[in-house]
Amino acid sequence: MTSETRSNLSGNQKRKMKSAARFFAVQALYQMEHSDQTYDQVRVQFLDHRFGEKFDGYEMLEGDTSLFSSLLEEAVNHQALIDQMTDRALVAKWPLGRIDSTLRALFRAAGAELTQHDTPPKVVIVEFVQVAQSFFPEGKESQFVNAVLDHMAREAKPEAF
């Protein structure tokens, strides 16, 4: 999608594209953790084969490729900082290494947005809680994600609270 086409989209369409980019960023980070693929390999695979394609008979949304790429790159480049921030938000007996790898990927993507973007923290929290609900529709993980991201957001952008 060209930048000219993107500028003609409605606000709701742009929001959906950003939501899809966040969802794909979590998937890509998860894939990187569970494979020997590099950032570049996974990024290209997602941009070429996931965005706007049919996957297992399900039409994937066209995502905001710029947001996706920046979240992925920033999560990788700032992983140590984001992981430390996440660890501080977790209960002492539950360090980051003990939580589900999908949640780890989610916290890294959200942490990248909280620390490297101007997105309001409440928007980041709501968006990534929705991502958690997509991955864990029947669990309490979304409540856990909400609590951890709230703590991370207050640390990353205290002026917003």
Side-chain angles (χ1 to χ4, degrees):
M1 179 176 293
T2 66
S3 59
E4 182 179 324
T5 305
R6 194 175 295 130
S7 67
N8 292 331
L9 296 173
S10 72
N12 191 43
Q13 288 170 314
K14 289 178 184 176
R15 184 191 60 74
K16 285 182 179 180
M17 289 177 68
K18 286 183 178 189
S19 295
R22 292 176 179 107
F23 180 82
F24 289 142
V26 172
Q27 285 184 320
L29 289 166
Y30 175 90
Q31 183 172 324
M32 287 174 61
E33 184 172 333
H34 289 279
S35 71
D36 290 330
Q37 295 176 307
T38 65
Y39 154 78
D40 285 323
Q41 290 170 318
V42 171
R43 184 181 59 79
V44 168
Q45 179 187 13
F46 271 74
L47 293 176
D48 289 350
H49 301 292
R50 299 276 179 104
F51 283 65
E53 298 290 326
K54 286 193 177 185
F55 186 71
D56 287 340
Y58 177 73
E59 179 113 16
M60 302 301 279
L61 288 174
E62 182 70 37
D64 181 325
T65 57
S66 177
L67 178 61
F68 166 79
S69 294
S70 70
L71 289 179
L72 192 59
E73 181 177 10
E74 291 158 354
V76 169
N77 289 340
H78 301 282
Q79 183 174 325
L81 168 75
I82 294 165
D83 285 357
Q84 291 168 2
M85 190 167 54
T86 306
D87 268 336
R88 287 190 291 274
L90 295 169
V91 178
K93 294 184 181 188
W94 287 100
L96 186 59
R98 286 189 65 192
I99 65 170
D100 179 87
S101 56
T102 303
L103 291 175
R104 220 174 9 257
L106 185 146
F107 292 139
R108 288 174 178 154
E113 190 161 3
L114 284 169
T115 61
Q116 306 301 313
H117 289 256
D118 292 333
T119 310
K122 291 180 182 183
V123 171
V124 174
I125 293 169
V126 168
E127 286 287 324
F128 281 98
V129 166
Q130 289 176 348
V131 170
Q133 290 169 340
S134 296
F135 288 114
F136 305 100
E138 297 182 24
K140 295 194 183 250
E141 288 85 355
S142 60
Q143 294 170 351
F144 175 64
V145 165
N146 187 52
V148 171
L149 291 182
D150 182 68
H151 189 281
M152 291 172 67
R154 289 174 189 278
E155 180 179 334
K157 295 185 178 178
E159 69 282 357
F161 292 91

